[in-house]
Amino acid sequence: MTTGTLAFIILAAISLQVGLFTLTALYRRRALFCAAASVPPATAASTWKGFREFVVQRRVSEDPQGTICSFYLRPVDGRPLPPFKPGQFLTFRLPVDDPAGGRSGSVIRCYSLSDAPHPDYYRVSIKRVPALPGQPVQPPGVASNFFHDRVTEGSRLKVRAPAGHFHLREQDQSPVVLIGGGIGITPMLSMLNRLLESGSPREIWLFYGIRNGREEIMGDHLRSLAERHANFHLYRCYSAPADGETAGLDFQHRGRVDVPLLRATLKPAHYQFYLCGPPAMMESLAPGLEELGIGDIFYESFGPATLARPGATETQSETAAAEISVTFGRSGRQIAWDRQAGSLLEFAEAQGIEVDAGCRAGSCGGCQTPIESGDVVYDQPAVAEVEPGHCLLCITRPKNDLTLAA
Ligand SMILES: Cc1cc2nc3c(=O)[nH]c(=O)nc-3n(C[C@H](O)[C@H](O)[C@H](O)COP(=O)(O)OP(=O)(O)OC[C@H]3O[C@@H](n4cnc5c(N)ncnc54)[C@H](O)[C@@H]3O)c2cc1C
Ligand code: FES
C-alpha cells in the first residue's frame, strides 16, 4: 500500500467518524427539543383554542375570614374536560373595566387550578385583594373583587384552556416538598390532592406559610388528609399566631417557612421542591434551596397583574439604539419607540392603544398579538405558547421597525 492510499484511508475513516458523530449529535438535539416541546397527548377533548364558556356550578368560602372563595366551573357545551397537569392555571376574560388601561370592558387574569384533575369540573380559589391604605391609597383589585362580588352560581365566564410550565412531575418518584405562602397554596392543593387521590407512595411534605389560623384555607381538608395518609406530612407555619393558638396543636412551626426550618425537618434525600408564594418568600427561599443542593426546584410567582411600570425593566436586550417606529395596524397609528418606553405592552398602554393583557409576565398568553412586519426581542422566555408570527407584548420590545395587528 502506498503512502497516498494509506493517507486516503485514514482521511476517509476520520470523515466517516466525524459524520457519524455529527448525525448522532443532531439526532440527540432533535430528540431533546421534541421532549422539551412536547405537550400532554391531545385527544378530541384535550384542549381548546381561545376562550370557552363555563358556568359557575358552586362557590364555597374557604377561610375563616371569608377572603378566599372557590369557584367550581363546568363547560357550558357539556363536552368532557381535558385533563391538566396539577400546578397549571386557567386564564379568564372578565367583563369589567381595567382602570390600569387595556381594552375597555375587559380584564384578563390567571388563576391556578386548585384541585386535582377531574373530568367534570375545574376549580379555582381566589383571594379578594382589598384596597390598601397609603399615599396614594391602592385601589381594590379589579378581577378578584369582581369574582367575590359579582360571580354567583349560574354566572358564565370565558376561560382559556389550562396552561403553564409550573406543574407536578408525576413520572418522577422522588419525595415531594410543596411550599405555599398565603394564596400561593392553590397550585400546591392541586398537586397534593392529585398525589393522594392517585395513591402515590411518594413521601409528601406540605409547608404552608400564613400569619395564623384565620388565613388558613381548607383547614379541615388538610388535617383529614394528614390523618389518613402516613406518607403526607402537614407543616403549618404561623408567623403571627393568634391568642389561643398553640404550637404542636394548631400549627407545627412558629415563624416563616425558611431554609433552616427545611434543613432541620427534612431527612437527607433528593427532593422535588415546588414553591409558590409572595415575593419576599420566593426571594429568600429559592436561592437558599439552590445553595442547599438537595433537589430540583420549581417555582411560580403570582405577582401583581395590573401595575404598569414604564421603563422598569431597562433593557439589556439587543434593541437597536436608533429610532424605531411601531405601527399599530388597527388604528393605523405610527409612533416612535424609545428605550424608556418599556415593553410593547407598556408602550401601547401609555399611548392609549387598547390591547389585551393579563399576567404581564409572559404566562397567560393574554397579550399575544400578530406581527405584520418587523421583529421583536424577548426580555425573558415566554411561558405561554406563542403562535408563529405572533409575540407577547408584555415581555417584548421592538428590534427594528415593527407593525403589529393590534
Ligand atoms: C399564573 C398565576 C396564577 C395565579 N393564581 C392565583 C390563585 O390561585 N388565586 C389568587 O387569588 N390569585 C392568583 N393569581 C393572581 C391573580 O391573577 C391576580 O393577579 C390577583 O387576583 C389580583 O388581581 P386583581 O385584578 O384583583 O388586582 P389588580 O387590579 O391587578 O391589583 C393588584 C394590586 O395592584 C394594586 N394596583 C392596581 N392598580 C394600581 C395603581 N394604578 N396604582 C397603584 N396600585 C395599583 C391594587 O391595589 C392591588 O394591590 C395568579 C396569578 C398568576 C400569574
Ligand atoms: S399579559 Fe400574560 S402573557 Fe402577556
Side-chain angles (χ1 to χ4, degrees):
M1 190 184 302
T2 64
T3 320
T5 317
L6 186 61
F8 176 76
I9 291 172
I10 291 171
L11 260 176
I14 290 172
S15 312
L16 189 67
Q17 229 172 349
V18 169
L20 274 175
F21 177 79
T22 313
L23 273 177
T24 314
L26 276 174
Y27 175 78
R28 281 206 183 127
R29 270 182 73 97
R30 189 173 177 281
L32 266 177
F33 174 77
C34 291
S38 69
V39 285
T43 65
S46 75
T47 196
W48 66 93
K49 276 202 172 271
F51 288 92
R52 183 172 173 186
E53 203 166 27
F54 279 70
V55 62
V56 176
Q57 196 191 25
R58 196 152 69 94
R59 47 175 286 173
V60 179
S61 179
E62 300 286 13
D63 61 328
Q65 52 189 11
T67 56
I68 299 167
C69 189
S70 286
F71 298 85
Y72 289 76
L73 311 167
R74 275 180 192 275
V76 169
D77 59 26
R79 294 212 308 271
L81 282 176
F84 60 88
K85 295 181 177 179
Q88 290 190 310
F89 58 84
L90 295 177
T91 301
F92 293 80
R93 183 199 284 279
L94 304 168
V96 60
D97 275 339
D98 185 349
R103 202 178 291 285
S104 50
S106 157
V107 133
I108 294 181
R109 292 285 183 277
C110 307
Y111 291 99
S112 299
L113 287 143
S114 64
D115 200 358
H118 293 115
D120 50 348
Y121 70 89
Y122 287 148
R123 183 182 75 184
V124 289
S125 305
I126 298 178
K127 180 178 172 141
R128 186 196 285 276
V129 177
L132 290 176
Q135 282 301 337
V137 172
Q138 286 193 13
V142 176
S144 57
N145 283 279
F146 177 84
F147 265 101
H148 277 257
D149 298 336
R150 294 182 41 201
V151 176
T152 56
E153 288 168 7
S155 293
R156 292 187 171 204
L157 296 167
K158 291 198 161 52
V159 186
R160 273 220 186 99
H165 296 187
F166 175 72
H167 57 75
L168 184 66
R169 271 62 184 168
E170 288 196 69
Q171 63 288 3
D172 197 310
Q173 287 310 304
S174 49
V176 179
V177 181
L178 308 173
I179 305 176
I183 193 62
I185 191 72
T186 50
M188 308 305 158
L189 287 169
S190 177
M191 295 186 199
L192 175 68
N193 289 351
R194 167 67 180 191
L195 285 163
L196 295 180
E197 281 176 22
S198 66
S200 168
R202 295 168 79 175
E203 193 189 337
I204 307 158
W205 292 84
L206 174 61
F207 291 89
Y208 181 15
I210 37 180
R211 266 189 294 241
N212 53 51
R214 284 180 55 72
E215 291 186 358
E216 188 171 311
I217 79 166
M218 301 180 204
D220 291 345
H221 172 68
L222 290 174
R223 273 185 291 279
S224 139
L225 289 180
E227 279 160 20
R228 286 187 284 125
H229 297 273
N231 59 329
F232 169 44
H233 313 283
L234 173 61
Y235 232 83
R236 283 166 298 161
C237 306
Y238 286 7
S239 59
D243 288 346
E245 287 182 332
T246 313
L249 191 66
D250 302 298
F251 59 97
Q252 284 66 45
H253 173 72
R254 180 189 291 264
R256 296 179 197 282
V257 186
D258 55 20
V259 173
L261 170 67
L262 297 174
R263 202 191 282 126
T265 315
L266 300 172
K267 285 185 260 141
H270 186 89
Y271 293 92
Q272 269 185 3
F273 290 93
Y274 295 90
L275 272 71
C276 183
M281 183 182 116
M282 307 290 283
E283 277 158 25
S284 70
L285 266 183
L289 279 176
E290 260 159 34
E291 222 167 89
L292 266 188
I294 56 168
D296 303 318
I297 306 163
F298 307 96
Y299 38 85
E300 174 142 275
S301 179
F302 289 172
T306 62
L307 285 180
R309 287 159 291 130
T313 45
E314 183 50 35
T315 183
Q316 324 145 3
S317 66
E318 318 142 30
T319 44
E323 270 194 10
I324 292 179
S325 89
V326 179
T327 306
F328 293 93
R330 242 193 337 247
S331 60
R333 283 180 65 193
Q334 187 178 21
I335 309 164
W337 182 90
D338 70 70
R339 282 169 179 275
Q340 301 309 314
S343 68
L344 280 165
L345 176 62
E346 290 162 342
F347 180 60
E349 286 173 347
Q351 300 297 330
I353 310 271
E354 286 201 343
V355 285
D356 285 330
C359 64
R360 309 184 79 90
S363 299
C364 70
C367 64
Q368 181 155 197
T369 302
I371 298 175
E372 289 181 352
S373 66
D375 302 290
V376 296
V377 176
Y378 275 81
D379 288 337
Q380 63 188 69
V383 173
E385 302 288 333
V386 186
E387 287 179 38
H390 289 58
C391 70
L392 299 181
L393 299 179
C394 65
I395 53 169
T396 49
R397 293 151 200 272
K399 186 174 184 181
N400 41 37
D401 287 352
L402 186 69
T403 302
L404 295 167

